[in-house]
Amino acid sequence: QVQLVESGGGLVQPGGSLRLSCTASGSIFRFNAMGWYRQAPGKQRELVAFISSGGSAVYADSVKGRFTIPRDNAKNTVSLQMNSLKPEDTAVYYCVAGSVPTIISGTTDKWGQGTQVTVSS
């Protein structure tokens, strides 16, 4: 059973940067894709970004140009580099893994426990 563990959340000022990391307990090679969701209080869950095993990345319009999602298969990790953070980026961020369709639909059963990101002055 593969487990996903996120780290790197915290409090950051608007305009600042933060890097989240997700480490899988087993090889991530088996997953066609890995990604990040976020959920803010009172809002629907949002797919932030995902990256395929081949390295193709897709981003939500709300983060395009500010976030990147590097993946290191050798270290079984996927990260989320967040730059130019805005207060509206405040949310709990979840790492996910699975096939591309299950990640896009949110139906994958591979979720991390979540890490809080707060953007505030």
Side-chain angles (χ1 to χ4, degrees), residues 44-106:
Q44 284 193 336
R45 188 175 59 187
E46 176 188 22
L47 177 58
V48 176
F50 68 90
I51 184 167
S52 71
S53 57
S56 297
V58 176
Y59 300 92
D61 288 343
S62 58
V63 306
K64 206 171 290 184
R66 300 188 297 122
F67 290 11
T68 58
I69 182 170
R71 173 174 177 163
D72 189 333
N73 289 333
K75 295 183 179 179
N76 295 329
T77 62
V78 65
S79 301
L80 187 68
Q81 178 64 45
M82 305 184 291
N83 300 326
S84 302
L85 283 161
K86 305 175 182 180
E88 50 263 44
D89 294 318
T90 296
V92 178
Y93 284 71
Y94 299 90
C95 176
V96 294
S99 66
V100 170
T102 63
I103 285 182
I104 292 175
S105 65

